Amino acid sequence: MSLVGKLKVQLDPAQLANAQIIEREFYWAGLPAGLAAGAIANAWHESRLNHLAHNTSGEDSAGLFQLNVRGLGHGMSLAQRQDPVQNAQRVIEEIKRLGVDDLVRQNPSVSYAAQVFAKEIERCAACGYQGGDSELHRRSATALEFFPMYVSYGFQPWMIPAGIAVTSVVALGAYAYFRVYRRA
């Protein structure tokens, strides 16, 4: 099951499609799934996962991650910033440039990923304060609400034989333990 398939909130079809685009682009870029989850939570706060969102008051920000013409959206047209694939790819370029993915690989919590994404990639002006009802706290809480049961490493095929091996060792240990104490 995909990351977006694990979402615990209802999204409309357009929002769901945009969340899937973010997940796909992050996956193709080799980024951790936890970082994609944090990015989806941040895109929810930036644009409500609406790739056509456009904020012209004070700054000219557009798209899923509200790329600003003076920031990450520099050099991109409005149409490019509103294209969900190009918007996500610009964010991915910044993630790779800064090496933020390494931070998230070391601490794969979606809550942490959402905070790192907000502070380092989005550079959310209201995300400096980390306690209580701060914007950073809200983004972290959204990541946990969207993906409450998320285990960043997910299911891996090697887990089946590893699980069988562990179960076998435990069963053999229990068998030996009871044989020794039964004789006594």
Side-chain angles (χ1 to χ4, degrees):
M1 178 182 283
S2 75
L3 175 67
V4 173
K6 296 176 185 174
L7 268 170
K8 298 298 179 190
V9 295
Q10 289 292 327
L11 300 177
D12 69 34
Q15 291 169 322
L16 187 59
N18 286 327
Q20 289 169 330
I21 288 169
I22 293 168
E23 177 184 15
R24 182 190 70 216
E25 294 301 319
F26 275 61
Y27 175 79
W28 286 350
L31 296 173
L35 189 55
I40 291 168
N42 273 279
W44 173 258
H45 281 271
E46 291 292 327
S47 67
R48 290 296 188 247
L49 287 165
N50 175 5
H51 66 280
L52 298 175
H54 187 199
N55 177 7
T56 57
S57 63
E59 57 183 39
D60 186 8
S61 298
L64 291 174
F65 296 105
Q66 290 294 284
L67 300 183
N68 186 304
V69 292
R70 292 177 303 236
L72 284 181
H74 179 73
M76 296 176 79
S77 69
L78 175 61
Q80 289 171 321
R81 288 181 291 139
Q82 288 182 322
D83 178 290
V85 173
Q86 290 184 56
N87 195 284
Q89 288 174 346
R90 178 58 65 97
V91 164
I92 289 167
E93 288 171 13
E94 186 69 359
I95 288 168
K96 290 187 170 195
R97 186 182 77 76
L98 295 175
V100 169
D101 53 321
D102 290 334
L103 290 173
V104 175
R105 286 183 214 285
Q106 294 169 18
N107 182 353
S109 147
V110 294
S111 173
Y112 178 73
Q115 291 178 40
V116 167
F117 192 93
K119 289 178 82 171
E120 303 298 328
I121 304 304
E122 285 288 342
R123 296 180 189 98
C124 164
C127 291
Y129 173 66
Q130 297 184 25
D133 195 34
S134 70
E135 182 62 22
L136 192 62
H137 181 266
R138 283 191 289 280
R139 290 177 189 225
S140 175
T142 298
L144 291 172
E145 177 187 352
F146 278 28
F147 305 100
M149 304 301 267
Y150 180 70
V151 176
S152 81
Y153 298 109
F155 173 79
Q156 299 293 327
W158 61 264
M159 291 178 176
I160 293 172
I164 292 169
V166 168
T167 303
S168 299
V169 168
V170 169
L172 285 172
Y175 175 76
Y177 175 82
F178 287 110
R179 282 209 52 160
V180 167
Y181 284 99
R182 245 190 206 198
R183 289 185 189 192

